[in-house]
Amino acid sequence: MRYMPLLFIVLGCAVFAQDNFKIYYKDTPSGFKVLADNNEYAPVSAELNMKLTNLKSSNGNNKVYVIPAMTKEFELTNLTVVDRKKPLKFGFNTSYNFGDHNLSNYDKDYKYFLPFGKGETFWLTQGYNGNISHADEYALDFKMPIGTKIYAAREGVVTDIEESYSKRCTSPECAKQNNYITIYHDDGTFAEYTHIKKNGAEVNIGDRVEKGQFIGYSGDVGWATGPHLHFIVYQQKIKSMQTLKTRFLVDDGKRFIELQEKEQYTRNY
Ligand SMILES: [Zn+2]
């Protein structure tokens, strides 16, 4: 005998390609199991809210699950039919996004490299909570000419790239047309290197990059007032992101500091 769910709703709010992540169910002898496939190079967090009639969930309800990167048939919960003589209903909605929603700890002492080449010096034109465009954001703007080589500040896996845009404008709306490279770090945080030039990424999604590796060219694309690299490190939750303070090696690599707005920094290491 097969049990057909009467209701099956999926409401995603994902920012990435939907076919890279899915939640689905399979029949089991005692009911159903709810599974997830994650074909992204970072974990995906999914909140699962089920409506169950005559079904019991082995793993509770209204929970957030973290599905590891590149994982198929990750089991979220088992649904067991309570009374086989009665009708049953099974429906759910889900929200999901990149990252570990439950991340509570990360490496606060990580020694970031300045994201440009050895021997180069650039001004930090806007720092944390800067009043041009960094309200409530721990973001850094390095002023640099279009086409400056960008180097990974930290090792990780490239999880997302946008490099198709070519225009810049000065209203926040234009942030939708930002080009960027996103790298997932081993401690569960992400870095975004923003405003790269059109087709300026020199890495691919899924690449493992090393600290100090050349990853692409800076630009002047999206929400910007001139050529620069916007750099953030953040923790991604299902419905929000939280930018994090970081510290960098500067000069010959012996000084390890939080960068300050309107100072210039040299990478000689
Ligand atoms: Zn910025």
Side-chain angles (χ1 to χ4, degrees):
M1 178 178 178
R2 282 174 57 84
Y3 305 96
M4 288 303 291
L6 301 178
L7 180 67
F8 192 77
I9 310 165
V10 181
L11 300 170
C13 78
V15 294
F16 49 86
Q18 296 231 337
D19 49 355
N20 280 351
F21 183 79
K22 65 175 181 180
I23 292 179
Y24 56 100
Y25 66 92
K26 280 188 174 171
D27 291 352
T28 64
S30 57
F32 310 97
K33 58 183 170 184
V34 184
L35 303 161
D37 285 357
N38 177 12
N39 293 320
E40 295 285 349
Y41 289 93
V44 168
S45 295
E47 186 177 353
L48 182 65
N49 305 114
M50 296 179 289
K51 283 201 176 104
L52 303 173
T53 304
N54 195 20
L55 286 164
K56 189 171 172 7
S57 168
S58 64
N59 207 3
N61 198 356
N62 305 313
K63 279 174 69 170
V64 172
Y65 298 90
V66 180
I67 298 95
M70 303 304 281
T71 302
K72 285 206 190 327
E73 302 204 357
F74 185 86
E75 200 168 301
L76 305 183
T77 189
N78 263 297
L79 304 177
T80 306
V81 178
V82 177
D83 183 346
R84 288 172 179 260
K85 297 192 185 84
K86 291 184 178 161
L88 55 87
K89 267 191 196 170
F90 166 34
F92 68 84
N93 60 64
T94 177
S95 307
Y96 50 92
N97 209 333
F98 276 119
D100 181 349
H101 181 82
N102 300 324
L103 187 72
S104 58
N105 203 10
Y106 62 93
D107 184 359
K108 296 179 178 68
D109 297 317
Y110 186 86
K111 292 181 166 73
Y112 286 83
F113 274 15
L114 290 166
F116 42 81
K118 188 173 178 180
E120 301 244 57
T121 301
F122 293 107
W123 286 94
L124 190 79
T125 49
Q126 196 182 184
Y128 293 157
N129 303 307
N131 57 16
I132 303 167
S133 59
H134 293 175
D136 303 317
E137 192 183 23
Y138 295 131
L140 301 168
D141 284 350
F142 298 94
K143 186 180 180 185
M144 53 177 62
I146 294 170
T148 301
K149 283 185 163 184
I150 302 165
Y151 294 77
R154 181 172 181 174
E155 65 280 7
V157 178
V158 179
T159 55
D160 200 10
I161 292 173
E162 175 59 69
E163 57 174 349
S164 67
Y165 296 111
S166 57
K167 285 188 187 143
R168 175 257 283 187
C169 78
T170 54
S171 94
E173 275 292 289
C174 303
K176 289 177 194 149
Q177 288 156 40
N178 282 346
N179 287 341
Y180 56 83
I181 297 169
T182 307
I183 294 179
Y184 179 68
H185 302 144
D186 299 339
D187 68 347
T189 62
F190 294 85
E192 187 181 291
Y193 303 75
T194 318
H195 308 304
I196 63 167
K197 72 175 196 179
K198 186 176 183 177
N199 299 325
E202 294 293 317
V203 286
N204 295 304
I205 291 175
D207 285 358
R208 173 89 198 171
V209 299
E210 294 309 314
K211 185 180 191 172
Q213 183 179 327
F214 168 53
I215 57 169
Y217 294 97
S218 73
D220 187 22
V221 175
W223 179 26
T225 54
H228 74 282
L229 173 69
H230 173 96
F231 177 83
I232 53 171
V233 172
Y234 62 95
Q235 175 183 358
Q236 182 68 60
K237 303 222 167 211
I238 289 178
K239 287 169 187 164
S240 65
M241 58 135 65
Q242 185 183 3
T243 51
L244 307 170
K245 284 189 176 184
T246 49
R247 283 180 289 161
F248 289 79
L249 297 171
V250 299
D251 302 331
D252 61 0
K254 293 196 181 84
R255 219 152 60 91
F256 174 49
I257 58 165
E258 188 179 305
L259 304 187
Q260 302 300 320
E261 188 171 296
K262 298 188 176 65
E263 296 280 343
Q264 57 179 347
Y265 295 103
T266 300
R267 183 183 161 207
N268 269 331
Y269 52 86

